[in-house]
Coordinates of all heavy atoms in Angstrom, one line a residue:
M1 N 20.7 14.3 12.2 CA 19.9 13.8 11.1 C 18.4 13.6 11.6 O 18.2 12.9 12.6 CB 20.4 12.4 10.6 CG 19.6 11.8 9.5 SD 20.3 10.3 9.0 CE 21.5 10.7 7.8
T2 N 17.5 14.2 10.9 CA 16.1 13.8 11.3 C 15.6 12.6 10.6 O 16.3 12.0 9.8 CB 15.1 15.1 10.7 OG1 15.2 15.0 9.4 CG2 15.6 16.4 11.2
C3 N 14.4 12.1 11.2 CA 13.9 10.9 10.6 C 13.5 11.0 9.1 O 13.7 10.1 8.3 CB 12.6 10.5 11.3 SG 13.0 9.9 12.9
K4 N 13.1 12.2 8.7 CA 12.8 12.4 7.3 C 14.1 12.3 6.4 O 14.0 11.7 5.4 CB 12.2 13.8 7.0 CG 11.4 13.9 5.8 CD 10.5 15.1 5.8 CE 9.5 15.0 4.6 NZ 8.2 15.0 4.9
E5 N 15.1 12.8 6.9 CA 16.5 12.7 6.2 C 16.9 11.3 6.2 O 17.4 10.8 5.2 CB 17.5 13.6 6.9 CG 17.3 15.0 6.6 CD 18.1 16.0 7.5 OE1 18.6 15.5 8.6 OE2 18.3 17.2 7.3
A6 N 16.8 10.6 7.4 CA 17.1 9.3 7.3 C 16.4 8.4 6.4 O 16.9 7.5 5.7 CB 16.9 8.7 8.8
F7 N 15.1 8.7 6.2 CA 14.3 7.9 5.3 C 14.8 8.1 3.9 O 15.0 7.1 3.1 CB 12.9 8.4 5.4 CG 12.0 7.9 4.2 CD1 11.6 6.7 4.0 CD2 11.8 8.9 3.2 CE1 10.9 6.3 3.0 CE2 10.9 8.5 2.1 CZ 10.5 7.2 2.0
Q8 N 15.3 9.3 3.5 CA 15.8 9.6 2.1 C 17.1 8.8 1.9 O 17.4 8.3 0.9 CB 15.9 11.1 2.0 CG 14.7 11.8 1.7 CD 14.7 13.3 2.0 OE1 15.7 13.8 2.4 NE2 13.6 14.1 1.6
E9 N 17.9 8.8 3.0 CA 19.1 8.2 3.0 C 19.0 6.6 2.9 O 19.7 6.0 2.2 CB 20.0 8.4 4.3 CG 20.3 9.9 4.4 CD 21.3 10.4 3.4 OE1 22.5 10.3 3.6 OE2 20.8 11.0 2.4
I10 N 17.9 6.1 3.5 CA 17.7 4.6 3.4 C 17.3 4.2 1.9 O 17.8 3.3 1.4 CB 16.4 4.3 4.3 CG1 16.9 4.3 5.8 CG2 16.0 2.9 4.0 CD1 15.8 4.2 6.8
S11 N 16.5 5.1 1.3 CA 16.3 4.9 -0.2 C 17.5 4.9 -1.0 O 17.7 3.9 -1.8 CB 15.3 6.0 -0.7 OG 14.2 5.9 -0.1
K12 N 18.3 5.8 -0.7 CA 19.6 6.0 -1.5 C 20.5 4.8 -1.1 O 21.2 4.3 -2.0 CB 20.3 7.3 -1.1 CG 19.6 8.5 -1.7 CD 20.6 9.6 -1.9 CE 20.2 10.8 -1.0 NZ 21.3 11.8 -0.9
Y13 N 20.5 4.4 0.2 CA 21.4 3.3 0.6 C 21.1 2.1 -0.3 O 22.0 1.4 -0.7 CB 21.1 3.0 2.0 CG 21.9 1.9 2.6 CD1 23.1 2.0 3.2 CD2 21.4 0.5 2.5 CE1 23.8 1.0 3.7 CE2 22.1 -0.5 3.0 CZ 23.3 -0.3 3.7 OH 24.0 -1.5 4.2
Y14 N 19.9 1.8 -0.4 CA 19.5 0.6 -1.2 C 19.6 0.8 -2.8 O 19.7 -0.2 -3.5 CB 18.1 0.0 -0.8 CG 18.1 -0.7 0.5 CD1 17.4 -0.1 1.6 CD2 18.8 -1.8 0.7 CE1 17.5 -0.6 2.8 CE2 18.9 -2.4 1.9 CZ 18.2 -1.8 3.0 OH 18.2 -2.4 4.3
D15 N 19.7 2.0 -3.1 CA 20.0 2.3 -4.5 C 21.5 2.3 -4.8 O 21.9 2.5 -5.9 CB 19.5 3.7 -4.9 CG 17.9 3.6 -5.0 OD1 17.4 2.5 -5.1 OD2 17.4 4.7 -5.1
G16 N 22.3 2.1 -3.7 CA 23.8 2.1 -3.8 C 24.3 3.5 -4.0 O 25.5 3.6 -4.7
E17 N 23.6 4.5 -3.6 CA 24.1 5.9 -3.8 C 24.8 6.6 -2.7 O 25.1 7.7 -2.8 CB 23.0 6.7 -4.3 CG 22.4 6.4 -5.6 CD 21.1 7.0 -6.0 OE1 20.6 7.8 -5.2 OE2 20.5 6.7 -7.1
L18 N 24.9 5.9 -1.5 CA 25.6 6.4 -0.4 C 27.1 6.3 -0.3 O 27.5 5.2 -0.6 CB 24.9 5.9 0.8 CG 23.5 6.4 1.3 CD1 23.2 6.0 2.7 CD2 23.3 7.8 1.1
T19 N 27.8 7.3 0.1 CA 29.2 7.1 0.3 C 29.3 6.5 1.7 O 28.4 6.4 2.6 CB 29.9 8.5 0.5 OG1 29.4 9.2 1.6 CG2 29.6 9.3 -0.9
N20 N 30.6 6.0 2.1 CA 30.8 5.3 3.3 C 30.5 6.3 4.4 O 29.9 5.9 5.5 CB 32.3 4.8 3.4 CG 32.4 3.6 2.6 OD1 31.5 2.9 2.3 ND2 33.6 3.3 2.2
D21 N 30.8 7.5 4.3 CA 30.5 8.6 5.4 C 29.0 8.6 5.7 O 28.5 8.7 6.7 CB 31.1 9.9 5.0 CG 32.5 10.2 5.6 OD1 33.1 9.1 6.2 OD2 33.1 11.2 5.3
E22 N 28.3 8.8 4.5 CA 26.8 8.9 4.6 C 26.2 7.7 5.3 O 25.3 7.8 6.1 CB 26.1 9.1 3.2 CG 26.5 10.6 2.8 CD 26.1 10.7 1.3 OE1 26.2 9.7 0.5 OE2 25.8 11.9 0.9
K23 N 26.8 6.4 4.9 CA 26.3 5.2 5.5 C 26.5 5.3 7.0 O 25.7 4.8 7.9 CB 27.0 4.0 5.0 CG 26.5 3.6 3.6 CD 27.3 2.4 3.0 CE 27.1 2.2 1.6 NZ 28.0 1.3 1.0
R24 N 27.7 5.7 7.4 CA 28.0 5.8 8.9 C 27.1 6.7 9.6 O 26.5 6.2 10.6 CB 29.4 6.3 9.0 CG 30.0 6.1 10.5 CD 31.5 6.6 10.5 NE 31.7 7.8 9.8 CZ 31.4 9.0 10.2 NH1 30.7 9.2 11.4 NH2 31.7 10.1 9.4
V25 N 26.7 7.9 9.0 CA 25.7 8.8 9.7 C 24.4 8.1 9.8 O 23.7 8.2 10.8 CB 25.7 10.1 8.9 CG1 24.6 11.0 9.4 CG2 27.1 10.8 8.9
L26 N 24.0 7.4 8.7 CA 22.7 6.8 8.7 C 22.7 5.7 9.8 O 21.7 5.5 10.6 CB 22.4 6.1 7.3 CG 21.2 5.3 7.1 CD1 20.0 6.2 7.4 CD2 21.1 4.6 5.8
K27 N 23.7 4.9 9.9 CA 23.8 3.8 10.8 C 23.7 4.4 12.3 O 23.0 3.8 13.1 CB 25.0 2.9 10.7 CG 25.0 2.1 9.5 CD 24.1 0.9 9.6 CE 23.9 0.1 8.3 NZ 25.1 -0.7 7.8
E28 N 24.3 5.5 12.5 CA 24.3 6.2 13.8 C 22.8 6.5 14.1 O 22.3 6.3 15.2 CB 25.1 7.4 13.8 CG 26.5 7.2 14.3 CD 27.4 8.4 14.1 OE1 26.8 9.5 14.1 OE2 28.5 8.3 13.8
H29 N 22.2 7.1 13.2 CA 20.7 7.4 13.4 C 19.9 6.1 13.6 O 19.1 6.1 14.6 CB 20.1 8.1 12.2 CG 18.7 8.5 12.4 ND1 18.3 9.7 13.0 CD2 17.6 7.9 12.1 CE1 17.0 9.8 13.1 NE2 16.5 8.7 12.5
L30 N 20.1 5.1 12.8 CA 19.4 3.8 13.1 C 19.6 3.3 14.5 O 18.7 2.7 15.0 CB 19.8 2.8 12.0 CG 19.5 3.1 10.6 CD1 19.9 2.0 9.6 CD2 18.0 3.5 10.3
G31 N 20.7 3.4 15.0 CA 21.1 2.9 16.2 C 20.4 3.7 17.4 O 20.1 3.1 18.5
R32 N 19.9 4.9 17.1 CA 19.2 5.7 18.1 C 17.7 5.7 17.9 O 16.9 6.1 18.8 CB 19.7 7.2 18.1 CG 21.1 7.4 18.6 CD 21.4 8.9 18.6 NE 21.8 9.4 17.4 CZ 21.1 10.1 16.5 NH1 20.0 10.6 16.9 NH2 21.7 10.6 15.3
C33 N 17.2 5.3 16.7 CA 15.9 5.5 16.4 C 15.2 4.2 15.9 O 15.5 3.7 14.8 CB 15.9 6.5 15.2 SG 14.2 6.9 14.7
G34 N 14.4 3.6 16.7 CA 13.8 2.3 16.4 C 12.9 2.4 15.2 O 12.9 1.5 14.5
H35 N 12.2 3.5 15.1 CA 11.2 3.6 13.9 C 12.1 3.5 12.5 O 11.7 2.8 11.7 CB 10.5 4.9 13.9 CG 9.8 5.2 12.7 ND1 8.8 4.3 12.2 CD2 9.9 6.2 11.8 CE1 8.3 4.8 11.1 NE2 8.9 6.0 10.9
C36 N 13.2 4.3 12.5 CA 13.9 4.2 11.2 C 14.6 2.9 11.1 O 14.8 2.4 9.9 CB 15.0 5.3 11.2 SG 14.3 6.9 11.1
Q37 N 15.0 2.2 12.2 CA 15.5 0.8 12.1 C 14.5 -0.1 11.5 O 14.9 -0.9 10.6 CB 16.0 0.4 13.5 CG 16.6 -1.0 13.5 CD 18.0 -1.0 13.0 OE1 18.8 -0.4 13.4 NE2 18.1 -1.8 11.8
I38 N 13.3 0.0 11.9 CA 12.3 -0.8 11.3 C 12.1 -0.5 9.9 O 12.0 -1.5 9.1 CB 10.9 -0.6 12.1 CG1 11.0 -1.2 13.5 CG2 9.7 -1.2 11.4 CD1 9.9 -0.8 14.5
V39 N 12.1 0.7 9.5 CA 11.9 1.1 8.1 C 13.0 0.5 7.2 O 12.9 -0.2 6.2 CB 11.9 2.6 7.9 CG1 11.9 3.0 6.4 CG2 10.6 3.2 8.5
F40 N 14.3 0.6 7.9 CA 15.5 0.0 7.2 C 15.4 -1.5 6.9 O 15.6 -2.0 5.9 CB 16.6 0.4 8.1 CG 18.0 0.1 7.4 CD1 18.6 0.8 6.5 CD2 18.7 -1.2 7.9 CE1 19.8 0.5 6.0 CE2 19.9 -1.5 7.3 CZ 20.5 -0.6 6.4
D41 N 14.9 -2.2 8.1 CA 14.8 -3.7 8.0 C 13.7 -4.1 7.1 O 13.8 -5.0 6.3 CB 14.5 -4.2 9.4 CG 15.7 -4.2 10.3 OD1 16.8 -4.0 9.8 OD2 15.5 -4.3 11.5
T42 N 12.6 -3.3 7.1 CA 11.4 -3.7 6.2 C 11.8 -3.4 4.8 O 11.4 -4.3 3.9 CB 10.2 -2.8 6.5 OG1 9.9 -2.8 7.9 CG2 9.0 -3.1 5.8
T43 N 12.6 -2.5 4.5 CA 13.1 -2.2 3.1 C 13.9 -3.4 2.6 O 13.8 -3.9 1.5 CB 13.9 -0.8 3.1 OG1 13.1 0.2 3.6 CG2 14.2 -0.6 1.6
R44 N 14.9 -3.8 3.5 CA 15.8 -4.9 3.0 C 15.0 -6.2 2.8 O 15.2 -6.8 1.8 CB 16.8 -5.1 4.2 CG 18.0 -5.9 3.7 CD 18.8 -6.5 4.8 NE 18.1 -7.4 5.7 CZ 17.9 -7.2 7.0 NH1 18.6 -6.2 7.6 NH2 17.2 -7.9 7.8
K45 N 14.0 -6.4 3.7 CA 13.2 -7.7 3.5 C 12.4 -7.5 2.2 O 12.2 -8.5 1.5 CB 12.2 -7.9 4.7 CG 13.0 -8.3 5.9 CD 12.0 -8.7 7.0 CE 12.8 -9.0 8.3 NZ 12.5 -8.2 9.3
T46 N 11.8 -6.4 2.0 CA 11.1 -6.2 0.7 C 11.9 -6.3 -0.6 O 11.6 -7.1 -1.5 CB 10.5 -4.7 0.7 OG1 9.8 -4.5 1.9 CG2 9.5 -4.6 -0.5
I47 N 13.2 -5.9 -0.5 CA 14.1 -6.0 -1.6 C 14.5 -7.5 -1.8 O 14.5 -8.1 -2.9 CB 15.4 -5.2 -1.4 CG1 14.9 -3.7 -1.6 CG2 16.4 -5.5 -2.4 CD1 16.0 -2.7 -1.1
E48 N 14.7 -8.2 -0.7 CA 15.1 -9.6 -0.7 C 13.9 -10.4 -1.3 O 14.1 -11.4 -2.1 CB 15.4 -10.2 0.7 CG 16.8 -9.7 1.1 CD 17.0 -10.0 2.6 OE1 16.1 -10.5 3.3 OE2 18.2 -9.9 3.0
L49 N 12.7 -10.0 -1.0 CA 11.5 -10.7 -1.5 C 11.5 -10.6 -3.0 O 11.2 -11.5 -3.8 CB 10.3 -10.0 -0.9 CG 9.1 -11.0 -0.6 CD1 9.4 -11.9 0.6 CD2 7.9 -10.1 -0.2
Y50 N 11.7 -9.3 -3.5 CA 11.7 -9.1 -4.9 C 12.8 -9.8 -5.6 O 12.6 -10.4 -6.7 CB 11.8 -7.5 -5.2 CG 10.5 -6.7 -5.2 CD1 10.5 -5.8 -4.3 CD2 9.4 -7.1 -6.0 CE1 9.2 -5.0 -4.2 CE2 8.3 -6.4 -6.0 CZ 8.3 -5.3 -5.1 OH 7.0 -4.6 -5.0
C51 N 14.0 -9.8 -5.1 CA 15.2 -10.3 -5.7 C 15.4 -11.8 -5.4 O 16.2 -12.4 -6.1 CB 16.4 -9.5 -5.3 SG 16.3 -7.7 -5.8
E52 N 14.8 -12.3 -4.4 CA 15.0 -13.7 -4.0 C 16.4 -14.1 -3.9 O 16.9 -15.2 -4.3 CB 14.2 -14.6 -4.9 CG 12.7 -14.4 -4.9 CD 12.0 -15.4 -5.8 OE1 12.5 -15.7 -6.8 OE2 10.8 -15.8 -5.4
G53 N 17.1 -13.1 -3.3 CA 18.6 -13.4 -3.1 C 19.5 -13.3 -4.3 O 20.7 -13.5 -4.1
E54 N 18.9 -13.1 -5.5 CA 19.8 -13.0 -6.7 C 20.3 -11.6 -6.7 O 19.7 -10.6 -6.2 CB 18.9 -13.2 -7.9 CG 18.2 -14.5 -8.0 CD 19.1 -15.7 -8.4 OE1 20.1 -15.3 -9.0 OE2 18.9 -16.8 -8.0
L55 N 21.6 -11.5 -7.2 CA 22.2 -10.2 -7.4 C 21.9 -9.6 -8.8 O 22.6 -10.0 -9.8 CB 23.7 -10.4 -7.2 CG 24.1 -10.4 -5.6 CD1 25.6 -10.6 -5.6 CD2 23.7 -9.2 -4.9
F56 N 20.9 -8.9 -8.9 CA 20.6 -8.2 -10.2 C 20.0 -6.8 -9.9 O 19.3 -6.8 -8.9 CB 19.8 -9.0 -11.2 CG 18.4 -9.4 -10.7 CD1 17.4 -8.5 -10.8 CD2 18.1 -10.7 -10.1 CE1 16.1 -8.8 -10.4 CE2 16.9 -10.9 -9.7 CZ 15.9 -10.1 -9.8
P57 N 20.1 -5.9 -10.7 CA 19.6 -4.6 -10.5 C 18.1 -4.7 -10.5 O 17.5 -5.3 -11.2 CB 20.0 -3.7 -11.6 CG 21.1 -4.5 -12.3 CD 20.8 -5.9 -12.0
M58 N 17.5 -4.0 -9.4 CA 16.1 -3.9 -9.3 C 15.5 -3.1 -10.6 O 16.0 -2.1 -10.8 CB 15.6 -3.2 -8.1 CG 14.7 -4.0 -7.2 SD 13.9 -3.0 -5.9 CE 15.4 -2.4 -5.0
P59 N 14.5 -3.6 -11.1 CA 13.8 -2.8 -12.3 C 13.4 -1.5 -11.8 O 12.9 -1.4 -10.6 CB 12.6 -3.8 -12.7 CG 12.9 -5.1 -12.1 CD 13.8 -4.9 -11.0
E60 N 13.5 -0.6 -12.6 CA 13.1 0.8 -12.2 C 11.7 0.9 -11.6 O 11.5 1.6 -10.6 CB 13.3 1.7 -13.4 CG 13.2 3.2 -13.0 CD 14.2 3.6 -12.0 OE1 15.5 3.2 -12.1 OE2 13.9 4.3 -11.1
V61 N 10.8 0.2 -12.2 CA 9.3 0.3 -11.8 C 9.2 -0.3 -10.5 O 8.5 0.3 -9.6 CB 8.5 -0.4 -12.9 CG1 8.8 -1.9 -13.0 CG2 7.1 -0.2 -12.5
V62 N 9.9 -1.4 -10.2 CA 9.8 -2.0 -8.8 C 10.4 -1.0 -7.8 O 9.8 -0.9 -6.7 CB 10.6 -3.3 -8.8 CG1 10.6 -3.8 -7.3 CG2 10.0 -4.3 -9.8
R63 N 11.5 -0.4 -8.2 CA 12.1 0.5 -7.3 C 11.2 1.7 -7.0 O 11.1 2.1 -5.8 CB 13.5 0.9 -7.9 CG 14.5 1.4 -6.9 CD 15.8 1.3 -7.4 NE 16.1 2.3 -8.3 CZ 17.4 2.4 -8.9 NH1 18.4 1.7 -8.6 NH2 17.6 3.4 -9.7
S64 N 10.6 2.3 -8.0 CA 9.8 3.5 -7.7 C 8.6 3.1 -6.9 O 8.1 3.8 -6.0 CB 9.4 4.2 -9.0 OG 8.8 3.3 -9.8
R65 N 8.0 1.9 -7.2 CA 6.9 1.4 -6.3 C 7.3 1.2 -4.9 O 6.6 1.6 -3.9 CB 6.4 0.1 -6.9 CG 5.2 0.3 -7.8 CD 4.5 -1.1 -8.1 NE 4.2 -1.2 -9.5 CZ 4.4 -2.4 -10.1 NH1 4.8 -3.4 -9.6 NH2 4.1 -2.3 -11.5
L66 N 8.5 0.7 -4.7 CA 9.0 0.6 -3.3 C 9.1 1.9 -2.6 O 8.7 2.0 -1.5 CB 10.4 -0.2 -3.4 CG 11.1 -0.4 -2.1 CD1 10.2 -1.5 -1.2 CD2 12.4 -1.0 -2.3
H67 N 9.7 2.8 -3.3 CA 9.9 4.1 -2.8 C 8.5 4.7 -2.3 O 8.3 5.3 -1.3 CB 10.5 5.0 -3.7 CG 12.1 4.8 -3.9 ND1 12.9 5.6 -4.5 CD2 12.8 3.7 -3.3 CE1 14.2 5.1 -4.5 NE2 14.1 3.9 -3.7
Q68 N 7.5 4.6 -3.2 CA 6.2 5.2 -2.9 C 5.6 4.5 -1.7 O 5.0 5.1 -0.8 CB 5.3 5.0 -4.1 CG 5.4 6.0 -5.2 CD 4.8 5.5 -6.5 OE1 3.9 4.7 -6.6 NE2 5.1 6.2 -7.6
A69 N 5.7 3.2 -1.7 CA 5.1 2.4 -0.5 C 5.8 2.8 0.8 O 5.1 3.1 1.8 CB 5.3 0.9 -0.8
L70 N 7.1 3.0 0.7 CA 7.8 3.4 1.9 C 7.5 4.8 2.3 O 7.3 5.1 3.6 CB 9.3 3.4 1.6 CG 9.9 2.0 1.8 CD1 11.4 1.9 1.3 CD2 10.0 1.6 3.2
R71 N 7.3 5.7 1.4 CA 7.0 7.1 1.7 C 5.6 7.1 2.4 O 5.4 7.8 3.4 CB 7.0 7.9 0.4 CG 7.1 9.3 0.7 CD 7.4 10.2 -0.6 NE 8.7 9.8 -1.2 CZ 8.9 9.4 -2.4 NH1 8.0 9.3 -3.3 NH2 10.2 9.1 -2.8
R72 N 4.7 6.4 1.8 CA 3.4 6.3 2.5 C 3.4 5.8 3.9 O 2.9 6.4 4.8 CB 2.4 5.4 1.7 CG 1.7 6.1 0.6 CD 0.4 5.3 0.1 NE 0.7 4.0 -0.3 CZ 1.2 3.7 -1.4 NH1 1.3 4.6 -2.4 NH2 1.5 2.4 -1.8
K73 N 4.2 4.7 4.1 CA 4.3 4.2 5.4 C 5.0 5.1 6.3 O 4.5 5.2 7.5 CB 5.2 2.9 5.3 CG 5.3 1.8 6.4 CD 6.3 0.8 6.1 CE 6.2 -0.3 7.1 NZ 5.1 -1.1 7.3
F74 N 6.0 5.8 5.9 CA 6.6 6.7 6.7 C 5.8 7.9 7.1 O 5.8 8.3 8.2 CB 8.0 7.3 5.9 CG 8.7 8.2 6.7 CD1 9.6 7.8 7.7 CD2 8.6 9.6 6.6 CE1 10.5 8.7 8.4 CE2 9.3 10.5 7.3 CZ 10.2 10.0 8.2
E75 N 5.0 8.4 6.1 CA 4.1 9.6 6.4 C 3.1 9.2 7.4 O 2.7 10.0 8.2 CB 3.7 10.2 5.1 CG 4.7 11.1 4.5 CD 4.4 11.4 3.0 OE1 3.4 11.0 2.5 OE2 5.3 12.0 2.4
Q76 N 2.5 8.0 7.3 CA 1.5 7.5 8.2 C 2.1 7.6 9.6 O 1.5 8.1 10.6 CB 1.1 6.1 7.9 CG 0.1 6.0 6.8 CD -0.1 4.6 6.3 OE1 0.4 3.7 6.9 NE2 -0.8 4.5 5.2
K77 N 3.3 7.0 9.8 CA 3.9 7.0 11.1 C 4.3 8.3 11.6 O 4.1 8.6 12.8 CB 5.1 6.1 11.1 CG 4.8 4.6 10.7 CD 4.9 3.8 12.2 CE 4.5 2.3 12.0 NZ 5.5 1.5 11.6
A78 N 4.6 9.1 10.8 CA 5.2 10.5 11.2 C 4.2 11.5 11.7 O 4.4 12.3 12.4 CB 6.1 11.1 10.1
T79 N 2.9 11.2 11.2 CA 1.8 12.1 11.5 C 1.0 11.7 12.8 O 1.0 10.6 13.1 CB 0.8 12.3 10.3 OG1 0.4 11.0 9.9 CG2 1.4 13.1 9.3
Ligands
LIG101 ZN1 14.6 8.2 12.9

């Protein structure tokens, strides 16, 4: 898995779209790749901030903004 693929998987992970197998592959990459681990942790913290620990679906607009912000962050680091 490349970092770019991992990034896409992280987005899907938090959207609840990953199968258990896909999660396992992603976790393997995170274990080897500090950068993606940071992206993963940052995403979780951002989501927690939005949701304040409540369990409710993230509004679509928040979700797409989050994806955009992450993509920018990722592309900055990758270049
Ligand atoms: Zn990576």
Side-chain angles (χ1 to χ4, degrees):
M1 180 184 275
T2 66
C3 289
K4 199 160 190 130
E5 284 166 348
F7 165 74
Q8 284 162 354
E9 298 294 277
I10 289 168
S11 292
K12 285 202 248 168
Y13 178 92
Y14 286 111
D15 287 342
E17 290 170 4
L18 284 194
T19 65
N20 285 337
D21 267 4
E22 287 168 332
K23 283 181 197 168
R24 189 175 44 76
V25 174
L26 174 62
K27 290 285 169 71
E28 270 173 27
H29 181 88
L30 296 180
R32 285 185 280 110
C33 181
H35 171 58
C36 288
Q37 180 68 62
I38 288 166
V39 172
F40 186 80
D41 287 344
T42 306
T43 307
R44 197 194 59 237
K45 285 188 190 118
T46 307
I47 290 168
E48 281 170 358
L49 216 69
Y50 275 122
C51 298
E52 293 179 329
E54 302 282 335
L55 283 176
F56 61 85
M58 230 192 304
E60 191 56 46
V61 61
V62 174
R63 204 153 77 172
S64 62
R65 265 193 223 139
L66 177 65
H67 285 188
Q68 279 166 17
L70 277 169
R71 197 166 297 130
R72 272 199 303 275
K73 197 181 181 69
F74 181 81
E75 279 164 4
Q76 277 166 13
K77 292 262 175 83
T79 50

